[in-house]
Amino acid sequence: PFGVFPTRHGRHSGLIVPRFGQSVSEGRYLRELGYYWAASEYWDARLTMDYYDRSGWLAKSRMDYAWRYHFSGTVSGSLTRRNFAQGKNERRWDIAVSHNQTLGSTAALRASGYFVSDDSFYRDFSFNQNQRLTRNLRSQATFSKNWPEAKSNVSINVSDVRDLDNGSQQRLLPQISFYYGQRQLFGGASGSA
């Protein structure tokens, strides 16, 4: 066997080289076989697939986008038909979204969300240790605006927290915080005596 690898520098589309291996529970596997697409200077995407001889497949995708000084974000997700329980074949999925945007020179919007088909998805399928240990999924959106000349700002935040241990969900009402810059209570010194 032989391989040909491009020597071009910089960002460009192409195949993602997979990893081969074998495990006792899943048999032979092929991980991270996929394609990276550098669509434009503003966004790119990658689609990969893991195939396991005994337990099925896992498809993963990720799209990153950015327009400098305006907005940036990521949308990623995965879908699986892997079989961990004996004879049980079910579809499971996850989606993660992150978006940051500046609105003019004094306002900003930040939002992130995590959605999973079931509470044990990350524990069963993720290779990221931090993700596997996460027991709470927090989705939130924050809008902030400031007025530099008045030395004041306002922030509005909404959030949703899902506990992966007991399946409970906690939605918080919008939290609003307002800061008004320091001012003198009474007028300043006027004139001289």
Side-chain angles (χ1 to χ4, degrees):
F2 67 93
V4 177
F5 298 95
T7 57
R8 287 184 294 167
H9 296 287
R11 186 171 154 267
H12 57 275
S13 302
L15 291 174
I16 298 171
V17 180
R19 292 176 289 146
F20 301 90
Q22 185 168 352
S23 76
V24 175
S25 60
E26 299 167 329
R28 288 173 289 196
Y29 61 78
L30 179 67
R31 286 185 187 152
E32 298 287 321
L33 171 64
Y35 189 77
Y36 171 75
W37 183 28
S40 77
E41 62 183 298
Y42 300 110
W43 69 280
D44 59 21
R46 62 181 277 150
L47 176 65
T48 61
M49 185 164 185
D50 299 348
Y51 176 75
Y52 301 87
D53 197 11
R54 294 184 190 156
S55 62
W57 53 267
L58 172 67
K60 295 179 278 189
S61 64
R62 178 183 173 109
M63 182 183 78
D64 295 304
Y65 58 91
W67 184 13
R68 193 179 219 184
Y69 308 120
H70 295 283
F71 59 80
S72 65
T74 300
V75 179
S76 64
S78 55
L79 173 68
T80 184
R81 188 91 187 208
R82 287 180 67 186
N83 173 12
F84 272 99
Q86 295 78 10
K88 192 173 180 183
N89 206 356
E90 56 186 21
R91 281 186 193 208
R92 298 166 74 186
W93 53 268
D94 84 310
I95 297 172
V97 179
S98 170
H99 181 79
N100 298 314
Q101 183 168 356
T102 55
L103 305 166
S105 60
T106 60
L109 174 68
R110 300 191 191 319
S112 62
Y114 300 90
F115 311 94
V116 291
S117 60
D118 58 85
D119 295 338
S120 62
F121 183 88
Y122 290 130
R123 190 170 49 228
D124 291 343
F125 300 112
S126 179
F127 293 110
N128 181 320
Q129 185 177 6
N130 289 334
Q131 203 172 46
R132 288 175 66 99
L133 295 174
T134 297
R135 303 317 308 145
N136 291 309
L137 293 183
R138 177 180 293 275
S139 299
Q140 61 184 356
T142 303
F143 171 79
S144 59
K145 166 120 179 108
N146 66 61
W147 294 271
E149 63 283 346
K151 297 179 181 173
S152 58
N153 62 58
V154 67
S155 175
I156 303 168
N157 177 274
V158 292
S159 64
D160 179 281
V161 180
R162 179 173 171 180
D163 189 320
L164 298 179
D165 287 328
N166 59 26
S168 66
Q169 202 158 2
Q170 179 183 19
R171 288 195 175 103
L172 301 177
L173 291 173
Q175 296 175 323
I176 301 172
S177 62
F178 181 74
Y179 172 79
Y180 189 69
Q182 206 172 26
R183 297 283 187 277
Q184 290 183 349
L185 285 175
F186 305 102
S190 60
S192 57

